[in-house]
């Protein structure tokens, strides 16, 4: 939230129209976050809409240094996922990696039936980051609690990959 306010204050001085759009996206993001705060699962298409607002906010801060690519199959959009999972995984990628013009960070989000992968190029920050690892633990606990499989985390020489197992929507 504080990073968002810092970005907004810069935009107000540089581009008032973009600042208005930024505030609208920020409002939408928090409105939807509150809307789903007591919801265990939402459809992947709703999660994508929520994440789009968050990505817009990040892009204003990082510009072309951050690339977020979605490859979600239309037939997978009705699967269920705990709200804000994608936002947390994208936030984790940005937090732990260098995001700069010289070293752009690319996050790819793909669906393959009941599996969803979030993959980023690995370029760890050189300065140490205070991290408790609670974000990943919380995501894993939510999936296990809701009857899903635990998340899978893989790290190669070049990528960090998280795979979550989407939950079948029984009402469809």
């Amino acid at each position: 939230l504080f990073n968002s306010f810092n970005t907004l204050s810069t935009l107000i001085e540089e581009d008032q129209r973009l600042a208005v759009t930024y505030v609208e996206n920020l409002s939408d993001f928090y409105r939807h976050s509150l809307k789903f705060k007591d919801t265990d699962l939402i459809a992947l298409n709703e999660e994508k809409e929520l994440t789009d607002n968050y990505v817009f906010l990040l892009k204003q801060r990082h510009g072309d240094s951050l690339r977020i690519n979605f490859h979600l199959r239309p037939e997978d959009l009705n699967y269920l996922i705990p709200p804000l999972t994608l936002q947390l995984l994208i936030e984790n990628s940005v937090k732990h990696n260098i995001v700069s013009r010289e070293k752009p960070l690319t996050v790819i989000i793909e669906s393959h039936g009941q599996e969803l992968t979030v993959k980023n190029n690995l370029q760890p920050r050189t300065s140490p980051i205070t991290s408790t690892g609670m974000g990943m633990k919380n995501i894993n606990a939510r999936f296990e609690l809701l009857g899903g499989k635990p998340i899978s985390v893989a790290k190669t020489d070049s990528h960090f990959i998280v795979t979550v197992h989407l939950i079948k929507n029984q009402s469809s």
Side-chain angles (χ1 to χ4, degrees), residues 8-167:
L8 178 59
S9 66
T10 301
L11 286 176
I12 289 170
E13 293 176 8
E14 296 175 1
D15 187 340
Q16 284 82 25
R17 287 185 187 167
L18 184 55
V20 169
T21 303
Y22 187 86
V23 168
E24 289 168 351
N25 276 273
L26 183 63
S27 297
D28 285 346
F29 176 74
Y30 282 102
R31 183 179 307 108
H32 284 98
S33 297
L34 291 172
K35 174 183 171 184
F36 296 124
K37 75 178 177 64
D38 294 325
T39 304
D40 291 333
L41 295 167
I42 60 174
L44 183 57
N45 65 324
E46 291 177 302
E47 177 74 355
K48 164 74 166 67
E49 288 177 25
L50 179 59
T51 305
D52 285 341
N53 287 321
Y54 180 68
V55 168
F56 176 85
L57 301 174
L58 284 177
K59 293 287 287 172
Q60 298 316 303
R61 198 165 97 215
H62 296 288
D64 292 333
S65 300
L66 178 64
R67 301 170 186 150
I68 310 286
N69 300 316
F70 286 91
H71 303 287
L72 303 177
R73 300 180 330 172
E75 62 268 26
D76 298 338
L77 294 176
N78 205 34
Y79 281 109
L80 302 175
I81 188 169
L84 299 174
T85 298
L86 292 179
Q87 181 265 331
L88 290 169
L89 292 172
I90 293 169
E91 181 179 43
N92 192 57
S93 296
V94 171
K95 177 181 177 181
H96 292 285
N97 290 282
I98 295 170
V99 183
S100 69
R101 186 169 296 151
E102 297 77 29
K103 292 184 115 180
L105 180 68
T106 301
V107 180
I108 299 169
I109 301 161
E110 297 177 300
S111 66
H112 312 279
Q114 281 191 258
E115 284 193 343
L116 181 86
T117 58
V118 178
K119 172 179 163 180
N120 64 269
N121 52 319
L122 193 59
Q123 43 196 42
R125 290 184 181 266
T126 52
S127 56
I129 297 173
T130 304
S131 178
T132 61
M134 288 305 297
M136 296 295 272
K137 289 177 188 171
N138 284 339
I139 291 171
N140 197 46
R142 287 169 65 197
F143 273 90
E144 286 183 344
L145 181 68
L146 296 167
K149 297 177 184 175
I151 65 172
S152 167
V153 178
K155 185 176 175 181
T156 68
D157 290 339
S158 59
H159 290 90
F160 186 81
I161 306 157
V162 177
T163 302
V164 299
H165 301 277
L166 300 170
I167 299 168

